[in-house]
């Protein structure tokens, strides 16, 4: 059974950085992509980045391109999201999931989600 656990959220000032982690267990060969999503209060969920575990290809939404970087550890079971130059609009609960969507598209049926980690960008 796939389990995803996010960590690393917190309060940061505008312009600051945070690194989120998504520890995954129970992944199968079918779980080739891991994506990071976020949802701010009153807004739709948005996919911001994803990575393909087999070849390391990475993808970013326009809203975070050039500021965020996704990566994995050597075992490819922990996925990181390095977030730099954070802005107030980045404030949201961040989730990792076993799907890749950029922007506000729908995920596939049966996608596994973590519990989320809060990121707050404020002075």
């Amino acid at each position: 059974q796939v389990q995803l656990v996010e960590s690393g959220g917190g309060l940061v000032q505008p312009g600051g950085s945070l690194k989120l982690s998504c520890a995954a267990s129970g992944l199968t060969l079918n779980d080739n992509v891991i994506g990071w999503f976020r949802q701010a209060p009153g807004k739709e969920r948005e996919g911001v980045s994803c990575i393909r575990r087999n070849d390391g290809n990475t993808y970013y939404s326009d809203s975070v391109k050039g500021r965020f970087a996704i990566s994995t550890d050597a075992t490819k079971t922990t996925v990181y999201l390095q977030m730099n130059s954070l802005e107030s609009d980045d404030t949201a609960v961040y989730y990792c999931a076993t799907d890749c969507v950029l922007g506000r598209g729908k995920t596939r049926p049966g996608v596994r989600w973590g519990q989320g980690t809060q990121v707050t960008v404020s002075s």
Side-chain angles (χ1 to χ4, degrees):
Q1 182 172 340
V2 175
Q3 288 190 320
L4 304 172
V5 179
E6 302 94 337
S7 61
L11 173 64
V12 63
Q13 293 187 341
S17 298
L18 276 178
K19 187 173 185 177
L20 306 183
S21 298
C22 171
S25 59
L27 294 175
T28 69
L29 290 177
N30 289 331
D31 302 310
N32 187 41
V33 291
I34 299 292
W36 281 100
F37 298 75
R38 67 186 182 186
Q39 188 162 22
K43 294 188 177 180
E44 291 181 61
R45 185 178 62 208
E46 174 191 17
V48 297
S49 182
C50 47
I51 188 166
R52 290 206 308 214
R53 294 169 64 233
N54 63 337
D55 58 17
N57 281 356
T58 59
Y59 306 89
Y60 300 95
S61 68
D62 289 342
S63 60
V64 306
K65 196 174 296 182
R67 300 188 299 122
F68 291 10
I70 192 170
S71 62
T72 66
D73 68 351
T75 66
K76 300 181 182 181
T77 57
T78 299
V79 177
Y80 304 103
L81 187 67
Q82 176 67 46
M83 306 187 296
N84 301 322
S85 302
L86 284 162
E87 306 165 352
S88 57
D89 285 348
D90 296 318
T91 295
V93 178
Y94 283 71
Y95 302 88
C96 59
T98 56
D99 199 5
C100 181
V101 173
L102 298 179
R104 292 182 169 83
K106 290 186 177 181
T107 54
R108 297 175 292 109
V111 172
R112 299 289 188 171
W113 294 88
Q115 83 288 352
T117 186
Q118 175 71 47
V119 172
T120 302
V121 184
S122 175
S123 55

